[in-house]
Amino acid sequence: MDTQDIDVVLHENRAFPPSQEFQDQAHISGREAYQALYQKSIDDPDTFWGEVASELHWFKKWDQVMDNSEKPFFKWFTGGKTNLCYNCVDRHLDGPNRNKAALIWEGEPGDSRVLTYFDLHREVCKFANGLKSIGVKKGDRVAIYLPMVPELAMALLTCARIGAVHSVVFAGFSADSIKDRILDMDAKFVITGDGSWRRGNPLHLKSMVDEAIEGVDCIEKVVVVKRENSNVFDCDIQEGRDLWYHNLVKDQSQNCPVEKLDSEDMLFLLYTSGTTGKPKGIMHTQGGYMVYTYLTAKYVFDLKPEDVYFCTADIGWITGHSYLAYGPLANAASCVMYEGAPNYPDNGRFWEIVEKYGATIFYTAPTAIRAFMKWGDQWPERHDLSSLRLLGTVGEPINPEAWMWYHKVIGAEQCPIVDTWWQTETGGIMLTPLPGVTPTKPGSATLPFFGVDAAVINEDGEEKQAGLLAIRKPWPSITRGVYGDPERFKETYWCNWDGKYYFPGDGAKIDDDGYFWVLGRVDDVVNVSGHRIGTAELESVYVEHPTVAESAVVGIKHEIKGQGLASFVTLREDIEGTDELKTELDELVAKKIGKFAKPEKIIFTLDLPKTRSGKIMRRLLRDIAEGRALGNVTTLADPSIVESLKGQYSED
Ligand code: WTA
């Protein structure tokens, strides 16, 4: 954690209370209402969460709200039978939501499709019957590698309906990454697409999957969604293994009974980066995840029947799972889903979409806001954004300057901003303002959500003003662990402080009003444009290259991305560090992980600065990469290294 960051937030005193008008209509209004409910959620979580769960449909009521007998493997609503797809779709068919828009999809070229809840039910049922016809069963793992087309949201719901476990792999990942995940989860099926549009160019996806599953035995069938009726995305279809989605669903019945699932049946796996070279399959289950994403979506976005909710996240990441798909759909919201780039055909595309569909709520990432800021006010100014009533951000700390721009230029100083802190592992939003309650401060995720007992502590478990973010009590959507590796779950998240706290890996500060300021990761995970990348993952890629002896990757400040990556690479003897070699290493990262993991800089070095015990001094590398003063280097095995690194960096 950076002391400079602490200084910045310590001097941020501006506060923006919600307008009276917003407060008057909000689900939760005023500090007293919040405080009373919050206290109840902490003092009596069973009653609190039991009441929330009762707002949803259960085929059989739970026996116990929370079971902590196998700490830290908490279970929620045990004995209960439910189905998340039923709650997101079928539940809305009897009544005013039947013909309401569920998904409002916009393709990058400007094509669009609106699916009502009735349509969604029909499509999901046909999809489910199609999947069953090719042998997909409850508990089977289904890897999904799809772009942002409506079938992606439908694929999630369909798997949930029949109890298959979905695992979406973001469409920016490479064939090698898909393969690693497929092998780890032992998937039997893949749902993919022939392609998608990105910044006006066709993106071919099927060939990635073909490469990924070559020689992989576990895959039985591949379902391929056709982007459009053209030959732009032509791809190979392997007889016997691959099927077109449109053929699969064509003659299927429009009705498919839902599987009555156990609350603790697995819903999905989502791989995320940690501190080792291997991404972890984070597990979430049906009941707890459903209850928590439903409630957070309702209260944090203050969802009302007439809202049009636009979340710009890709469903390939947790934000898309929880707050483009499940949470809002469980609330019968109308959700805008956009396929392409924010700057195509011009920098105003998001604002054009807001205007076109009359979006009332807009949820995006700080990295996007910083890019909009750079592109200039003229783009939003060309569009009527007066439909907006609430703004949100997620994925990384937002700098006060970007927050103020969002507030003024997009929100016209009228819209509350919810800065939501959470993670893949938490399943849902943990720290956040409630828009009808909390005066916001630029850069602060403010207060804990209901049921979240958060603290800032030091390594000894003492509460401090600045230190490590920690959470005391379990909440319904806490991950059920790392797929196939229960020990890793314990070690990573529960090892410190006698298992009393869940440790998310972030540093934070708490101010005099009890507001939380999340400052960023304190482990070796870097948040590039809100995407988690483990430095160890890149390091293990580099050493696969025959010229590389050793490497160390660190996160560095980046104006738009929040953080970027700097790779220090030591080459084998007699190998020269050329620009061609840098390109080769970049290509290797693109092949092994994906293009989005490419570092800002590769710095060749004769050796890496290490402590006497042989630990790489990452902090020092960060200081060097960011050009800061070097400080005390007396613990270095070879102090001259630092000088040479510094020299090489400034020449770079
Ligand atoms: C960071 C994304 C500051 C944090 C939902 C966390 C944030 C990691 C915020 C999780 C925020 C997310 N303020 N930092 N509002 N939201 N983060 O799993 O470091 O992709 O641990 O989940 O993003 O990233 P993940």
Side-chain angles (χ1 to χ4, degrees), residues 105-112 196-201 227-228 233 338-341 344-345 349 352 356:
W105 176 79
E106 166 116 341
E108 194 186 72
D111 44 345
S112 74
S196 174
W197 291 102
R198 191 76 194 173
R199 228 162 263 121
N201 298 312
R227 167 65 179 82
E228 60 190 39
F233 300 104
Y338 169 57
E339 173 186 35
Y344 185 85
R349 186 61 185 273
E352 187 193 319
K356 180 171 172 188

Side-chain angles (χ1 to χ4, degrees), residues 318-319 395-397 419-424 506 521 527 532:
I318 191 69
T319 304
E396 35 164 340
D419 173 358
T420 60
W421 173 87
W422 59 293
Q423 330 177 277
T424 306
D506 279 305
R521 306 284 311 192
N527 207 326
R532 275 163 71 167

